[in-house]
Amino acid sequence: MSNKYFAESELIINSDGSIFHLHLKPEQLADKVILVGDPGRVKMIASHFEDIEDEVQSREFHSVTGTYQGKRITAQSTGIGCDNIDIVLNELDALANIDFSTRKEKEAFRQLTLVRIGTCGGLQPYTPVGTFIASEKSIGFDGLLNFYAGRNDVCDLDFEKKFKEHMRWNPLLCSPYVIDEDKELTARIAGDNMVKGVTISCGGFFGPQGRELRVPLADPDQNKKIESFEYEGYRITNFEMESSAIAGLSRLMGHKATTCCLVIANRVARGANPNYKGGMEDLVQTVLDRI
């Protein structure tokens, strides 16, 4: 066990004993965690709970812990982007595995099960609007995992190499990383009614995802190259903005994680459905039943 001491500047604990950004206390965190980007979506999840223990809100970070069919679950919003995931995953892991009274790592490791529920853009003809996609692998365009030791030990380096060659990767961009989601968890959440695929997490909604408004794109052919890429039977199925950081940090920390998304726009068909609440309700119910 590590005897490393986590200084006040590195692990910031609020005066009430809660973690700095999330404002959660260790006892308020369940082992099963559902992550959503939208703080308002936490209430949708919590509406299914038989009872609610705690509710905390700070900035975009909204948490509710309760019970669903005998399972203790925390619904946690992250806000948008892998930068926010860096905050949320590190603070959840600290709540689970650092003793706040001694500021040292706990002797017994506590593993979390993390499932992200979100929306995405479909990138294949077989991922039309309304499709549920469970990520088997995630590709990070954000570069976050490159800041952590052990990154090469948990990534699919050959996939990364082939992808960069296919894309003729611009060296000015962050080096992409490819990470496997937890296989058992992904299979359980996906069941037999979700498409299993490869998800790209982008560092933005417009340019990084190939959307062009007033500013031209550096690579107008980016999405065509992404859609045509294939490696050992894997095709890239969708764009979103968080899955790679969740999967990557979870692998480094020893937690189980996966992402499942509802397609609300298909980039190939150029169609979108902004009125997707019903589909999201169905996806939330599915995850609650399977987590």
Side-chain angles (χ1 to χ4, degrees):
M1 186 202 78
S2 168
N3 289 320
K4 181 178 179 182
Y5 176 81
F6 302 97
E8 292 184 12
S9 60
E10 311 308 292
L11 173 63
I12 303 176
I13 300 173
N14 299 316
S15 59
D16 64 354
S18 64
I19 196 80
F20 184 57
H21 293 94
L22 302 185
H23 280 249
L24 277 176
K25 298 176 182 178
E27 63 271 17
Q28 295 176 311
L29 176 65
D31 290 343
K32 297 178 184 293
V33 184
I34 296 177
L35 301 172
V36 292
D38 181 0
R41 201 166 289 154
V42 171
K43 285 191 177 293
M44 177 197 297
I45 296 169
S47 69
H48 295 271
F49 291 170
E50 286 96 32
D51 61 80
I52 292 175
E53 298 175 21
D54 294 289
E55 181 171 5
V56 178
Q57 184 145 18
S58 176
R59 306 182 192 183
E60 63 265 54
F61 306 116
H62 184 193
S63 313
V64 176
T65 297
T67 305
Y68 175 80
Q69 294 185 357
K71 296 178 285 191
R72 188 169 183 251
I73 298 171
T74 295
Q76 173 69 58
S77 67
T78 65
I80 296 174
C82 287
D83 50 348
N84 272 18
I85 296 301
D86 186 60
I87 293 171
V88 173
L89 262 290
N90 274 286
E91 292 199 353
L92 290 178
D93 180 69
L95 288 165
N97 290 299
I98 296 176
D99 186 324
F100 280 20
S101 62
T102 65
R103 291 183 166 274
K104 293 184 178 181
E105 189 174 348
K106 295 178 180 178
E107 291 188 17
F109 173 68
R110 179 183 173 192
Q111 186 180 61
L112 303 177
T113 297
L114 304 138
V115 179
R116 163 169 150 68
I117 299 175
T119 57
C120 69
L123 292 170
Q124 299 295 340
Y126 56 86
T127 59
V129 170
T131 303
F132 293 165
I133 299 179
S135 305
E136 292 186 295
K137 290 177 178 285
S138 288
I139 304 175
F141 278 12
D142 55 285
L144 176 67
L145 214 65
N146 301 331
F147 288 90
Y148 288 91
R151 168 255 197 253
N152 284 359
D153 298 329
V154 299
C155 289
D156 188 332
L157 301 182
D158 192 52
F159 193 123
E160 289 177 13
K161 179 182 177 183
K162 299 297 184 185
F163 180 74
K164 287 191 286 187
E165 289 173 354
H166 176 83
M167 295 294 294
R168 299 187 293 278
W169 196 256
N170 184 341
L172 292 176
L173 302 176
C174 297
S175 182
Y177 58 94
V178 179
I179 190 84
D180 287 327
E181 310 279 346
D182 184 85
K183 288 181 170 53
E184 182 279 327
L185 180 61
T186 302
R188 174 158 38 103
I189 296 297
D192 58 4
N193 66 334
M194 295 189 192
V195 171
K196 294 179 184 177
V198 179
T199 300
I200 290 179
S201 294
C202 295
F205 183 78
F206 289 94
Q209 295 188 29
R211 287 185 173 93
E212 182 175 324
L213 297 184
R214 294 186 59 244
V215 180
L217 299 173
D219 183 359
D221 295 324
Q222 171 189 281
N223 285 14
K224 289 181 181 178
K225 289 186 284 186
I226 288 171
E227 291 157 15
S228 66
F229 177 75
E230 184 173 358
Y231 174 74
E232 294 189 349
Y234 288 103
R235 300 294 296 267
I236 297 170
T237 48
N238 57 319
F239 274 145
E240 50 87 79
M241 296 177 66
E242 291 86 24
S243 67
S244 61
I246 294 170
L249 288 174
S250 293
R251 287 286 299 277
L252 291 174
M253 294 170 177
H255 303 303
K256 301 179 67 171
T258 196
T259 289
C260 52
C261 287
L262 168 66
V263 177
I264 64 168
N266 186 278
R267 306 302 298 282
V268 178
R270 294 187 175 272
N273 176 21
N275 303 309
Y276 55 83
K277 184 177 179 181
M280 183 55 67
E281 287 274 12
D282 291 342
L283 182 55
V284 165
Q285 183 69 66
T286 298
V287 172
L288 283 169
D289 290 339
R290 296 174 182 174
I291 192 171

